[in-house]
Amino acid sequence: MTSRPDAGGREKPRVVIVGGGFGGLEAARALAKADAEVVLFDRHNHHLFQPLLYQIATAALSPANIAAPIRKILAKQENCDVIMSEVTEVDLESRTVTVTDQRYAYDYLVLAAGARTNYFGNDAWSEVAPGLKNISEAIEVRSRFLLAFEQAEIETDEEARRAALTFVIVGAGPTGVELAGAMAEISRQTLRADFRRIDTSTVRVILIDAVDRVLSTFTPELSDRAQRDLEQLGVEVVLSTKVVDVQPGLLTVETPEGEERIEAANVFWAAGVRGVRLGGTLGVELDRGGRVIVGDDLTIPGRADVFVVGDLAHRIDPHTEELVPGVAQGAIQMGRFAGETIASEVRALSRGSLAPERGVFAYRDKGSMATIGRNRAIADIHGLRFGGFLAFLAWAFIHVLSLIGFRRRLMVMLEWIWSYLTLDRGVRLITGEDQVPKPVKPPPDTRLLGRDT
Amino acid sequence: MTSRPDAGGREKPRVVIVGGGFGGLEAARALAKADAEVVLFDRHNHHLFQPLLYQIATAALSPANIAAPIRKILAKQENCDVIMSEVTEVDLESRTVTVTDQRYAYDYLVLAAGARTNYFGNDAWSEVAPGLKNISEAIEVRSRFLLAFEQAEIETDEEARRAALTFVIVGAGPTGVELAGAMAEISRQTLRADFRRIDTSTVRVILIDAVDRVLSTFTPELSDRAQRDLEQLGVEVVLSTKVVDVQPGLLTVETPEGEERIEAANVFWAAGVRGVRLGGTLGVELDRGGRVIVGDDLTIPGRADVFVVGDLAHRIDPHTEELVPGVAQGAIQMGRFAGETIASEVRALSRGSLAPERGVFAYRDKGSMATIGRNRAIADIHGLRFGGFLAFLAWAFIHVLSLIGFRRRLMVMLEWIWSYLTLDRGVRLITGEDQVPKPVKPPPDTRLLGRDT
């Protein structure tokens, strides 16, 4: 190996972790007892429980319910520094990362910087069709969703009103399915009694995917079940259909029967992710999704000191011969592996002994779940496949337990019980500037004036 | 009276209410049984419990804890329409309001559009020193407050670090006192263990006011007590001092001893409010604070169909001969008076009888309270004046009970109990774009690189 790390000129080796998501946090924790200087960088001050981000976008939870300050999580780990800053580049030769135009040296590097929304080369679509990767985006989706009803309520033009009440979700993976199901439920149940002029049960929620079934990482039987659930909630599931253009108010899709246009004022993008730009600065091979291809020990070729974990890593599992999935468990297990590998080498080095042989990372599938709506979910746990209320309960239980800290668990549980019983959503807030709706077509004066003039 | 209203050309008289704060909401509720068409306009989709807004700014509560969708609050009131839109002008002659460039007729108008931050003619200061009037501003204050610590943590220049950790709050009314107390507590307690490089107990929180005591609407004895409480928390209370200039990083003040400069990266503005611009479009007399001067029945001169209530109204109470204060109770009582007055006239008109004589609005002071911090508050309830833990408990109790809905009361109570026991703040989130701190003075390379090069 060309660059098996040593302690540089410092007393203790320095481990730089980029990203405080599941992977980075787990790597930091695995180094808790290591005699090393650990520094974790993140652009945000908080760790985000991404699997529940769609619940912010659909007004069920507040951001604080699923986000926690990284430095508080790691406050008791004395060997770990948390720095809110953006790492923009990695230089493998000088073994430094660039942070706000300055270079910062590492002995070990763990890249856990995650993924961004994938518009497949059409980044301009992001203005019209926001993705769902961080709190700001989730609040933007929430505002647009709720604003659409306010807009429709003041619209006198029937066509404009219909467009305002048409929601298209692109991508039928877990996020897209969860968004579509929740939006249909909110329209038909939560908002029903609150509007005077519009009938919220006329809302169209359209879920589009290029492949021929929803939740395609599950078995075909579970996909079918999820699709039936969605359709019972009123979602229009449109499969084998590719989005070819996104313009304000207008979506163009390619169906097996040819090109079609959908007039929709609201489009949300859940069609996939790609690795963040930082991965490209390594100068090593990336896959088509911008992920960094890593070896058995999750390091990049020829650089035993540089680990890539989580959504940014492309790792083919030796057992299944499939890509380790971009889910929380994938990131957690990879982060832990990287952290433990580094910890054992640091230990060996400090004793003056040889670094132990590197292990081989293998993903342990703990099962997967997706929720569609109230009492509706699917689960596949070690081949035990089920849906309905039991899956919904299991999903809720596991997600509550996975949150950080007793306070968040309690609050989320209470919010969920409350919503379950009342069909209400606790966070129906439209925030941000200049969010006042204006009718596309102004009503005739007499009508608006309300006088027989 | 020149314009005692009738039912216009319509079947039912239309009551237009502008603003869904305490005053507007109460006016709408008072009209629940009236045989009228009630329309409530608001720029936001939510009613905000403003007395607790500072708790969003100081990371104690989430926006959803204190805000509720207006149309949900009024969903069961069938004679009431809620429209999210901005009313920009009133035309008294044609009896219309302008909403998104269209005119909308009223038979009765209740203006409850509230107040905005008062920079006393220096609106440019708002960029440097945000106020605290809505959720977006509260989140902005929260982000700036939390970001300052992140900035200080990466600052190597001692002067820049000191400026980053200096917080100035202008205005020692309830909001300013609450902000200052909370910020001092968070610095000294909540954040203490989470930072490695900075000592958060060195934070300076400076509370400035032009008058000679804090909370000047209370008795001098209670002001003294509040000031002692603030100083015990570490707040520097600077009185009889006027802000004469606000620049990024630098505040210029005029003390009794002359002009002074304070280097502070963070300034928050709580120095008072003035009526919103809409009041000016009435063409009637305003007071110096931009409030509309109203008569005994809360209407404007010569227009018995136009009521102004809440923070936008200037009303001298007949008993105390003082201005009805700009607090929740003032707005609630005025809104109820306007709503009830209209309801009784509508009832008389529909029976074909003469409208009853208008009443005279008188404010009923239910007492006032302000909180300074944990176990620290002051209260003055019908001359019963007290402070300390009992006042703190009474304050918490009354504020929880005043929230809308059981769910909000439960959640806020739990959040407060949790914070009380742990000294933690549940919502330490920095959100928004481009919020990554950059050091003012980049550290020398060797130090940043961490190598002996």
Side-chain angles (χ1 to χ4, degrees):
Chain A
M1 304 229 175
T2 57
S3 63
R4 178 60 62 116
D6 59 80
R10 283 184 299 280
E11 273 177 37
K12 290 179 185 184
R14 182 193 281 165
V15 184
V16 168
I17 301 171
V18 182
F22 289 114
L25 212 51
E26 201 62 30
R29 282 169 166 163
L31 286 155
K33 288 176 186 158
D35 192 24
E37 184 190 329
V38 181
V39 187
L40 189 151
F41 290 95
D42 198 295
R43 284 194 301 144
H44 297 113
N45 81 324
H46 49 270
H47 166 78
L48 180 64
F49 191 75
Q50 287 230 9
L52 291 179
L53 191 56
Y54 85 96
Q55 296 232 343
I56 297 181
T58 54
L61 295 177
S62 286
N65 291 140
I66 63 164
I70 298 170
R71 63 172 67 259
K72 168 143 174 85
I73 301 171
L74 295 171
K76 285 183 184 148
Q77 186 171 327
E78 286 182 11
N79 70 350
C80 185
D81 241 3
V82 176
I83 296 180
M84 183 183 171
S85 216
E86 184 162 14
V87 174
T88 48
E89 211 184 323
V90 177
D91 185 76
L92 298 174
E93 282 311 313
S94 65
R95 295 165 74 194
T96 57
V97 293
T98 304
V99 187
T100 57
D101 306 328
Q102 293 295 307
R103 298 206 306 188
Y104 201 91
Y106 64 79
D107 298 302
Y108 289 93
L109 179 64
V110 180
L111 288 187
R116 59 195 160 110
T117 303
N118 193 353
Y119 289 95
F120 303 101
N122 303 285
D123 283 358
W125 295 355
S126 66
E127 279 297 302
V128 179
L132 196 61
K133 290 299 294 173
N134 58 44
I135 288 178
S136 298
E137 286 179 346
I139 288 175
E140 174 70 21
V141 170
R142 183 182 78 196
S143 284
R144 290 191 187 202
F145 175 65
L146 296 173
L147 207 56
F149 293 89
E150 302 292 340
Q151 176 81 38
E153 181 82 347
I154 59 169
E155 216 50 277
T156 52
D157 180 69
E158 198 42 49
E159 216 166 291
R161 182 177 287 189
R162 244 195 328 264
L165 292 183
T166 302
F167 301 91
V168 176
I169 293 118
V170 183
T175 300
V177 165
E178 284 158 350
L179 272 184
M183 286 181 176
E185 275 186 343
I186 293 168
S187 306
R188 278 162 181 69
Q189 298 166 2
T190 312
L191 300 181
R192 195 175 195 119
D194 292 0
F195 288 84
R196 300 279 183 256
R197 296 148 200 227
I198 55 171
D199 176 359
T200 63
S201 69
T202 63
V203 162
R204 291 181 72 193
V205 178
I206 305 171
L207 180 64
I208 295 180
D209 204 300
V211 301
D212 63 355
R213 59 191 177 94
V214 305
L215 299 172
S216 57
T217 58
F218 287 80
T219 63
E221 293 71 30
L222 287 175
S223 289
D224 282 351
R225 165 141 206 176
Q227 185 171 343
R228 276 199 311 277
D229 280 343
L230 283 165
E231 285 166 349
Q232 278 167 14
L233 290 173
V235 176
E236 301 170 38
V237 180
V238 179
L239 299 169
S240 308
T241 293
K242 228 182 111 186
V243 172
V244 292
D245 194 30
V246 181
Q247 296 294 330
L250 192 67
L251 199 74
T252 311
V253 296
E254 206 174 86
T255 73
E257 284 81 43
E259 212 162 273
E260 265 178 43
R261 278 144 183 271
I262 303 173
E263 280 181 46
N266 321 281
V267 184
F268 305 112
W269 198 264
V273 296
R274 53 182 291 117
V276 293
R277 288 187 184 83
L278 184 62
T281 70
L282 290 170
V284 299
E285 198 187 347
L286 307 180
D287 72 3
R288 277 178 49 199
R291 292 179 206 88
V292 179
I293 296 173
V294 295
D296 281 348
D297 61 353
L298 305 182
T299 61
I300 59 176
R303 301 284 173 182
D305 51 349
V306 178
F307 295 77
V308 185
V309 305
D311 284 1
L312 185 54
H314 172 110
R315 160 71 180 156
I316 300 295
D317 191 74
H319 305 304
T320 63
E321 296 190 348
E322 280 174 14
L323 198 66
V324 175
V327 297
Q329 271 302 321
I332 289 170
Q333 292 178 27
M334 286 196 246
R336 190 180 301 147
F337 178 92
E340 284 174 353
T341 301
I342 296 166
S344 72
E345 287 194 6
V346 167
R347 202 159 43 237
L349 279 166
S350 73
R351 284 188 198 133
S353 52
L354 279 174
E357 193 64 31
R358 290 269 169 105
V360 173
F361 175 78
Y363 176 59
R364 212 173 123 245
D365 188 353
K366 290 191 166 184
S368 26
M369 291 182 162
T371 184
I372 296 108
R374 195 167 177 265
N375 296 343
R376 297 168 199 270
I378 58 171
D380 183 344
I381 297 163
H382 301 306
L384 181 66
R385 301 183 185 103
F386 56 107
F389 178 69
L390 204 66
F392 175 76
L393 211 64
W395 176 90
F397 188 72
I398 283 173
H399 281 78
V400 162
L401 283 188
S402 305
L403 288 165
I404 287 177
F406 175 75
R407 183 181 140 277
R408 274 177 202 85
R409 289 178 201 161
L410 175 69
M411 293 295 176
V412 169
M413 203 179 67
L414 288 173
E415 292 280 5
W416 283 355
I417 290 172
W418 189 264
S419 298
Y420 188 87
L421 297 176
T422 62
L423 302 178
D424 192 18
R425 300 270 166 161
V427 196
R428 282 168 48 194
L429 304 180
I430 300 172
T431 51
E433 298 305 309
D434 298 322
Q435 294 280 33
V436 180
K438 284 192 175 195
V440 169
K441 187 176 155 191
D445 265 13
T446 48
R447 178 165 176 175
L448 186 66
L449 282 165
R451 287 188 192 282
D452 303 320
T453 43
Chain B
M1 304 224 176
T2 58
S3 63
R4 177 63 58 115
D6 59 78
R10 283 183 299 281
E11 276 178 35
K12 293 179 184 182
R14 183 193 280 164
V15 185
V16 168
I17 300 171
V18 182
F22 289 114
L25 211 52
E26 201 62 28
R29 283 171 165 160
L31 286 155
K33 287 175 187 160
D35 192 25
E37 184 189 330
V38 181
V39 189
L40 188 152
F41 289 95
D42 199 294
R43 286 192 301 141
H44 296 114
N45 81 324
H46 49 270
H47 166 79
L48 180 63
F49 190 76
Q50 286 229 11
L52 291 179
L53 192 57
Y54 85 95
Q55 294 232 344
I56 297 183
T58 53
L61 295 177
S62 286
N65 291 139
I66 64 164
I70 298 169
R71 62 172 68 259
K72 168 142 175 86
I73 299 170
L74 295 171
K76 284 184 184 147
Q77 186 171 329
E78 286 182 13
N79 71 349
C80 185
D81 241 5
V82 176
I83 295 181
M84 183 183 171
S85 215
E86 184 162 14
V87 173
T88 49
E89 212 182 324
V90 178
D91 185 75
L92 298 174
E93 283 311 314
S94 65
R95 295 164 74 196
T96 57
V97 294
T98 303
V99 186
T100 58
D101 306 327
Q102 293 294 306
R103 299 205 305 187
Y104 200 92
Y106 63 79
D107 298 301
Y108 289 92
L109 179 62
V110 181
L111 289 187
R116 61 196 158 108
T117 303
N118 193 354
Y119 289 96
F120 303 100
N122 302 286
D123 283 359
W125 296 355
S126 67
E127 279 297 301
V128 179
L132 197 60
K133 290 301 293 173
N134 58 43
I135 289 178
S136 297
E137 286 180 345
I139 289 175
E140 175 68 21
V141 170
R142 183 182 78 196
S143 285
R144 289 192 189 202
F145 174 65
L146 295 174
L147 208 55
F149 294 89
E150 302 292 340
Q151 176 81 37
E153 181 81 348
I154 61 169
E155 216 50 274
T156 52
D157 180 69
E158 198 44 45
E159 216 167 289
R161 180 177 289 189
R162 243 194 330 263
L165 292 182
T166 302
F167 301 91
V168 176
I169 293 118
V170 183
T175 300
V177 166
E178 283 158 352
L179 272 183
M183 286 182 176
E185 275 186 343
I186 293 169
S187 305
R188 279 164 180 68
Q189 296 165 3
T190 313
L191 299 181
R192 194 174 195 119
D194 292 359
F195 288 83
R196 301 279 183 255
R197 294 148 202 227
I198 54 172
D199 176 359
T200 63
S201 69
T202 62
V203 162
R204 290 182 72 192
V205 178
I206 306 170
L207 180 65
I208 295 180
D209 204 300
V211 302
D212 64 354
R213 57 189 177 96
V214 304
L215 299 172
S216 57
T217 59
F218 288 80
T219 63
E221 292 72 30
L222 287 175
S223 289
D224 282 351
R225 166 142 205 177
Q227 183 171 347
R228 275 200 311 276
D229 279 342
L230 283 164
E231 286 167 347
Q232 276 168 15
L233 289 173
V235 176
E236 302 170 37
V237 180
V238 179
L239 298 169
S240 308
T241 295
K242 226 182 113 187
V243 172
V244 291
D245 194 32
V246 181
Q247 296 295 330
L250 191 68
L251 197 74
T252 312
V253 296
E254 207 174 86
T255 73
E257 285 80 43
E259 212 162 272
E260 263 178 44
R261 280 145 180 269
I262 303 173
E263 279 181 48
N266 321 280
V267 183
F268 305 111
W269 197 265
V273 297
R274 53 185 290 118
V276 294
R277 289 187 183 84
L278 184 61
T281 72
L282 290 170
V284 299
E285 198 187 348
L286 307 181
D287 72 3
R288 278 178 50 198
R291 292 179 205 88
V292 179
I293 296 173
V294 294
D296 279 349
D297 61 354
L298 305 183
T299 62
I300 59 176
R303 300 284 173 184
D305 52 349
V306 179
F307 296 77
V308 185
V309 305
D311 284 2
L312 185 55
H314 172 110
R315 161 72 180 154
I316 299 295
D317 191 74
H319 304 303
T320 62
E321 296 188 346
E322 280 176 14
L323 198 65
V324 176
V327 298
Q329 270 302 320
I332 289 171
Q333 293 178 28
M334 287 195 244
R336 189 181 302 146
F337 178 92
E340 284 174 353
T341 301
I342 296 167
S344 72
E345 287 193 7
V346 167
R347 200 161 41 237
L349 279 167
S350 73
R351 286 188 196 133
S353 51
L354 280 173
E357 194 64 32
R358 291 267 171 107
V360 173
F361 175 79
Y363 176 60
R364 213 174 123 246
D365 188 353
K366 292 191 165 182
S368 27
M369 291 183 161
T371 181
I372 296 110
R374 193 168 179 265
N375 297 343
R376 297 169 200 268
I378 60 171
D380 183 343
I381 297 163
H382 302 304
L384 181 67
R385 300 185 185 101
F386 56 108
F389 179 69
L390 203 65
F392 176 75
L393 211 63
W395 175 90
F397 188 71
I398 283 174
H399 281 78
V400 161
L401 284 187
S402 305
L403 288 165
I404 287 179
F406 175 75
R407 182 180 140 279
R408 274 178 203 84
R409 289 177 199 160
L410 175 69
M411 293 296 178
V412 169
M413 202 180 68
L414 288 174
E415 292 281 6
W416 283 354
I417 291 172
W418 189 264
S419 297
Y420 188 87
L421 296 176
T422 63
L423 302 179
D424 193 15
R425 301 270 166 160
V427 197
R428 281 169 50 194
L429 305 180
I430 300 171
T431 50
E433 299 305 308
D434 297 323
Q435 295 279 35
V436 180
K438 283 191 177 198
V440 169
K441 185 176 157 191
D445 265 13
T446 47
R447 176 164 176 176
L448 186 66
L449 284 164
R451 287 187 191 284
D452 303 320
T453 43

